[in-house]
């Protein structure tokens, strides 16, 4: 998962891009990058790390210009190489730089075609670099010295025909403007807004509406699936549908976990959707366990707080904050190594023992993926003196890997894979476990926008909305992720021994 932002402004946009990326930091903590344009030159800074660590004053001073794009990422399929930090850049044609959120599912075929037919070399393992080169090649085929919106949209049409999977893209064409487009299924979110200044109208494109509102931009709308918008450097905006059969089928996991609750995605309030998740889960609990004996409901910070609050209200049970989060520890879901993830849980959360002692506690999380974190948290609740520990997931069982830009583990590493709910309950050490029904989850997310006929729910039901996902593809994906996991473990082992050797030398 990544966060993207682009701005066509009237004054220097470096600070606004920086601020927008900090708002989108929850979408990726592995790397960050900003590129701006002025006087026929790009000015680029990108590196591994959080936004606040990648950009120093000396970097910001060099990022001049009133047009720019930015990106935050976490590693796809376990990769955390700084070479894959975005935005990416190609010289021909014109000079294009691109930021991408999502994942292409035919990357290998595209890369081979780029080399054999298009004579373009790919320098990294990133599908985003492949996507950039596809777009650049298709734009070059238009053969215009000065591209207009006509050539831009023709290139996007060709991208839709060649690329499969999920992609929300912002690209900057040197001296001409910014183009943003979304895959024909609209799997990954992207929207745009504007604000009026003394110098004129400024536009911002971003993964989530919260980035717009935080910087004083008014949300205009989401970019439609298959649609492209092109904003010239002088502020002229064009839009066109570039896909043949677009259909909005967004990723439902955005509402479960990734998006901030203060965002509006495809006209659906993430906050309201999560309130409804808590409501539905409480109703299910009252049906399945009418004699529930719960003293207190507690969220596992932070994403589940909204659902837990509504669940407590509907059950008529006290809502309490039982865990305090250390804000300076990164998301365990995003951390690349399993051993690193295990070590970080107790550093990340600390229980308030008075809220647990002698009570029957219902812990609410947004979802359960590997189960490592919730198993540790259940044990922490017991260590703090809880009498019984019940566990509720605001999402259904995660049984299948994600192929559209969420770096979930291989299926064999998912705690719900080939396990019943009772077996999962035993594995995490809870006294009782309840999951959200998939139909209820869909209803919760759909209520805000009746025009959404379908969501991508592939992690729950194994139905991959963009198609072409075969068992062979998933096998290759699992092998790739397993190899990546081995490399991570070896690196951690090597790092540990380096520390020991240095200590011995002392």
């Amino acid at each position: 998962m990544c966060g993207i932002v682009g701005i066509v402004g009237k004054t220097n946009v470096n600070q606004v891009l920086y601020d927008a990326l900090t708002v989108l930091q929850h979408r990726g903590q592995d790397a960050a990058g900003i590129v701006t344009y002025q006087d026929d030159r790009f000015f680029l800074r990108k590196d591994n790390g959080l936004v606040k660590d990648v950009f120093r004053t000396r970097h910001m001073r060099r990022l001049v210009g009133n047009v720019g794009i930015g990106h935050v990422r976490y590693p796809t399929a376990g990769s955390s190489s700084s070479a894959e930090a975005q935005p990416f850049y190609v010289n021909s044609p014109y000079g294009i730089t691109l930021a991408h959120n999502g994942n292409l599912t035919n990357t290998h075929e595209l890369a081979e075609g780029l080399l054999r037919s298009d004579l373009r070399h790919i320098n990294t393992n990133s599908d985003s670099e492949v996507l950039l080169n596809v777009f650049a090649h298709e734009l070059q085929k238009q053969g215009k010295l000065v591209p207009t919106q006509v050539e831009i949209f023709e290139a996007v049409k060709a991208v839709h025909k060649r690329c499969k999977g999920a992609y929300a893209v912002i690209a900057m064409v040197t001296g001409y403007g910014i183009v943003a487009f979304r895959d024909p299924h609209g799997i990954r979110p992207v929207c745009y807004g504007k604000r009026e200044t003394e110098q004129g109208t400024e536009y911002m494109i971003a993964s989530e509406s919260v980035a717009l509102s935080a910087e004083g931009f008014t949300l205009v709308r989401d970019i439609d699936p298959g649609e492209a918008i092109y904003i010239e450097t002088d502020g002229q905006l064009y839009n066109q549908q570039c896909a043949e059969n677009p259909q909005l089928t967004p990723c439902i996991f955005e509402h479960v976990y990734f998006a901030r609750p203060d965002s509006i995605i495809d006209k659906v309030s993430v906050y309201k959707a999560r309130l409804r998740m808590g409501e539905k889960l409480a109703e299910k609990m009252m049906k399945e366990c009418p004699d529930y004996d719960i003293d207190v409901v507690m969220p596992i910070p932070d994403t589940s707080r909204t659902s837990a609050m509504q669940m407590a209200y509907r059950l008529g049970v006290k809502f309490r904050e039982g865990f305090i989060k250390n804000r300076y520890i990164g998301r365990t879901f995003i951390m690349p190594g399993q051993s690193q993830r295990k070590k970080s849980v107790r550093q990340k959360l600390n229980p308030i023992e008075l809220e647990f002692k002698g009570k029957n506690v219902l812990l609410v999380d947004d979802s359960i993926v590997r189960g490592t974190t919730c198993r540790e948290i259940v044990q922490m609740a017991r260590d703090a003196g809880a009498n019984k520990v019940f566990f509720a997931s605001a999402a259904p069982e995660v049984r299948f890997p994600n192929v559209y830009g969420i770096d979930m583990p291989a299926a064999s590493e998912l705690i719900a894979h080939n396990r019943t709910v009772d077996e999962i309950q035993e594995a995490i050490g809870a006294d009782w476990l309840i999951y959200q029904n998939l139909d209820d989850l869909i209803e919760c997310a759909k209520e805000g926008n009746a025009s959404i006929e379908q969501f991508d729910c592939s992690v729950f039901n194994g139905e991959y909305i963009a198609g072409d996902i075969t068992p062979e593809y998933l096998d290759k994906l699992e092998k790739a992720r397993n190899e990546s996991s081995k490399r991570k473990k070896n690196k951690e082992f090597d790092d540990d021994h380096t520390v020991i050797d240095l200590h011995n030398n002392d």
Side-chain angles (χ1 to χ4, degrees):
M1 188 61 60
C2 300
I4 57 176
V5 61
I7 302 175
V8 176
K10 298 299 180 182
T11 57
N12 280 341
V13 296
N14 53 355
Q15 187 63 55
V16 182
L17 286 168
Y18 176 96
D19 293 341
L21 289 181
T22 61
V23 174
L24 296 174
Q25 186 76 84
H26 61 286
R27 299 187 69 85
Q29 301 172 329
D30 181 65
I34 290 176
V35 60
T36 59
Y37 163 81
Q38 182 173 279
D39 298 330
D40 293 323
R41 290 182 61 194
F42 280 146
F43 300 88
L44 172 66
R45 166 63 181 171
K46 62 179 182 177
D47 202 354
N48 278 3
L50 300 174
V51 175
K52 66 180 181 64
D53 298 321
V54 170
F55 302 101
R56 302 295 184 180
T57 302
R58 65 183 183 276
H59 305 129
M60 296 296 290
R61 285 174 175 166
R62 289 198 291 266
L63 294 171
V64 294
N66 68 329
V67 181
I69 64 177
H71 186 269
V72 289
R73 80 183 280 270
Y74 82 83
T76 302
S79 172
S80 58
S81 168
S82 60
E84 296 186 11
Q86 299 185 39
F88 284 114
Y89 169 76
V90 291
N91 283 300
S92 178
Y94 317 114
I96 303 173
T97 183
L98 176 144
H100 163 222
N101 175 31
N103 186 59
L104 302 184
T105 56
N106 63 333
T107 304
H108 180 71
E109 295 87 344
L110 287 170
E112 284 193 345
L114 285 167
L115 178 62
R116 296 179 183 276
S117 303
D118 303 348
L119 304 180
R120 286 180 172 268
H121 173 71
I122 305 302
N123 199 47
T124 71
N125 294 321
S126 174
D127 63 320
S128 302
E129 189 189 8
V130 171
L131 198 157
L132 167 60
N133 277 272
V134 171
F135 174 69
H137 177 75
E138 296 299 336
L139 187 56
Q140 191 165 14
K141 282 171 59 178
Q142 304 303 311
K144 291 293 184 70
L145 181 62
V146 178
T148 68
Q149 74 275 15
V150 175
E151 289 74 43
I152 295 290
F153 294 147
E154 285 300 314
V156 174
K157 288 179 183 178
V159 169
H160 288 330
K161 291 178 180 178
R162 293 180 66 177
C163 297
K164 299 176 182 177
Y167 47 93
V169 174
I170 303 176
M172 183 163 58
V173 184
T174 310
Y176 298 106
I178 283 180
V179 58
F181 54 93
R182 194 176 181 189
D183 71 76
H185 296 277
I187 297 173
R188 300 265 72 87
V190 63
C191 60
Y192 77 97
K194 64 180 181 178
R195 70 179 180 185
E196 302 298 332
T197 69
E198 293 181 358
Q199 294 82 13
T201 303
E202 298 181 319
Y203 289 96
M204 178 190 283
I205 306 158
S207 292
E208 295 183 34
S209 64
V210 65
L212 306 178
S213 57
E215 297 306 312
F217 286 77
T218 300
L219 173 66
V220 175
R221 62 178 176 85
D222 299 278
I223 295 176
D224 290 334
E227 183 187 21
I229 65 170
Y230 178 52
I231 309 170
E232 295 178 337
T233 53
D234 63 0
Q236 182 66 44
L237 185 147
Y238 306 90
N239 70 286
Q240 184 175 312
Q241 177 54 252
C242 296
E244 294 178 353
N245 297 298
Q247 181 182 12
L248 180 59
T249 49
C251 175
I252 203 166
F253 216 72
E254 291 280 353
H255 294 283
V256 171
Y257 177 78
F258 273 107
R260 277 183 38 158
D262 42 348
S263 284
I264 306 291
I265 295 180
D266 294 314
K267 300 180 183 179
V268 177
S269 164
V270 177
Y271 179 76
K272 289 287 189 179
R274 289 177 184 167
L275 282 177
R276 292 189 286 268
M277 290 176 204
E279 184 88 12
K280 289 289 187 182
L281 195 54
E283 291 174 1
K284 180 180 179 181
M285 187 167 187
M286 287 187 288
K287 289 179 182 177
E288 293 191 1
C289 186
D291 298 325
Y292 60 87
D293 183 18
I294 299 170
D295 297 311
V296 62
V297 174
M298 295 180 181
I300 297 175
D302 284 316
T303 323
S304 65
R305 183 172 287 114
T306 307
S307 296
M309 180 175 61
Q310 188 65 14
M311 194 173 185
Y313 176 78
R314 186 70 178 85
L315 293 173
V317 176
K318 291 180 181 179
F319 174 85
R320 290 290 185 269
E321 295 284 353
F323 295 99
I324 301 302
K325 184 177 182 180
N326 181 351
R327 303 288 175 183
Y328 303 99
I329 299 291
R331 277 186 170 186
T332 56
F333 180 84
I334 294 175
M335 288 185 174
Q338 181 75 352
S339 61
Q340 185 180 353
R341 185 178 299 106
K342 286 182 178 179
K343 288 187 291 186
S344 72
V345 176
R346 288 180 181 262
Q347 297 169 348
K348 180 180 176 182
L349 297 175
N350 193 53
I352 302 174
E353 293 190 3
L354 289 175
E355 294 294 345
F356 288 92
K357 199 171 292 293
K359 297 177 182 177
N360 295 337
V361 178
L362 173 63
L363 302 179
V364 182
D365 207 351
D366 51 74
S367 58
I368 304 174
V369 182
R370 288 180 176 89
T372 308
T373 299
C374 58
R375 182 166 53 243
E376 289 288 318
I377 290 172
V378 168
Q379 188 57 49
M380 288 168 65
R382 295 197 190 281
D383 293 343
N387 181 32
K388 289 185 178 179
V389 181
F390 307 118
F391 207 97
S393 170
E397 301 95 309
V398 177
R399 299 188 182 278
F400 303 92
N402 185 278
V403 301
Y404 298 133
I406 302 176
D407 189 31
M408 285 187 172
S412 58
E413 296 180 44
L414 298 170
I415 194 169
H417 183 68
N418 288 335
R419 281 192 177 101
T420 65
V421 174
D422 287 342
E423 289 170 338
I424 301 168
Q425 175 183 310
E426 182 179 357
I428 68 172
D431 292 293
W432 196 60
L433 171 64
I434 186 170
Y435 278 98
Q436 186 83 262
N437 291 331
L438 181 55
D439 288 344
D440 287 342
L441 176 63
I442 292 171
E443 185 178 336
C444 292
K446 191 176 181 179
E447 187 174 324
N449 183 358
S451 66
I452 301 177
E453 296 181 0
Q454 192 176 6
F455 285 92
D456 174 68
C457 303
S458 53
V459 298
F460 305 122
N461 60 16
E463 298 173 8
Y464 296 97
I465 207 69
D468 299 316
I469 303 302
T470 64
E472 291 76 20
Y473 179 92
L474 295 176
D475 287 342
K476 289 180 181 179
L477 183 65
E478 180 160 356
K479 288 177 182 177
R481 285 174 168 162
N482 287 340
E483 286 299 318
S484 176
S485 179
K486 287 179 183 178
R487 288 194 297 270
K488 293 295 178 186
K489 289 178 181 178
N490 290 336
K491 184 179 184 302
E492 290 166 10
F493 179 83
D494 291 342
D495 289 346
D496 288 344
H497 278 66
T498 300
V499 172
I500 292 171
D501 289 342
L502 290 171
H503 180 74
N504 289 339
N505 287 338
D506 289 341

